[in-house]
Amino acid sequence: MQSSSLRLWAIRWMAAAIAAHLVVGMLLPCFADAAIFSGYHRGIETAFWGANVPPQAHAQQIWWISLFGPTVQSAALWMGALAWIGARQRSAFAWGALIAGMLLWAPQDMLVSLRAGCWDNIWIDTFALVTMLPPLAYLFWIDRAQAVRA
């Protein structure tokens, strides 16, 4: 596959990942207490409260997850702006900023989750890293190489 074609697919992949962040962020406040997430909630509640989870703890967790939605939306907007700059200007800096943001966020988020015994969060973070870092690294490398040649 030609590098221009691979670059286009990597950009499209990143656009899809960013769009997914935006959609998830928009849906979190609406569906934080949906039955499909009951296992997730139970895992976190058990990590903090053991077997006797007070109803207020569940309500607070729903509030935190709902509040996290707008944060994810904002991150998606910033990621989208950087990806747009990277795609249009062939800016290795923009791709590098996205990589740096992920490498700043993920280890901390995973450590906090690990300390709390919240393995679901660790798996979600791992999924994000595995699906986003390789195309970002490729885009950084290919656009940096292009800038060096120019």
Side-chain angles (χ1 to χ4, degrees):
M1 185 179 280
Q2 276 189 316
S3 69
S4 63
S5 193
L6 188 55
R7 183 179 185 278
L8 181 60
W9 278 105
I11 290 168
R12 287 179 179 166
W13 182 265
M14 289 311 305
I18 292 164
H21 276 81
L22 184 63
V23 170
V24 166
M26 290 168 55
L27 294 177
L28 272 177
C30 302
F31 296 101
D33 201 18
I36 194 168
F37 299 119
S38 62
Y40 175 78
H41 293 308
R42 194 170 27 261
I44 292 175
E45 291 162 359
T46 303
F48 286 95
W49 294 94
N52 302 321
V53 180
Q56 297 87 349
H58 180 75
Q60 185 178 29
Q61 182 175 328
I62 299 305
W63 179 76
W64 275 112
I65 290 172
S66 296
L67 193 61
F68 186 60
T71 303
V72 173
Q73 289 176 59
S74 293
L77 180 66
W78 298 327
M79 290 187 317
L82 284 169
W84 187 86
I85 291 167
R88 298 300 181 277
Q89 298 178 7
R90 293 187 166 268
S91 172
F93 178 82
W95 304 124
L98 285 164
I99 292 168
M102 291 191 73
L103 295 179
L104 182 67
W105 156 78
Q108 293 178 74
D109 198 78
M110 293 170 112
L111 180 60
V112 169
S113 296
L114 188 60
R115 285 181 178 160
C118 297
W119 283 94
D120 288 344
N121 287 358
I122 294 168
W123 290 117
I124 292 167
D125 293 350
T126 301
F127 177 78
L129 287 172
V130 167
T131 59
M132 293 176 72
L133 276 181
L136 284 172
Y138 171 76
L139 289 164
F140 175 82
W141 177 76
I142 197 78
D143 286 352
R144 186 168 184 266
Q146 173 103 12
V148 168
R149 282 190 295 254

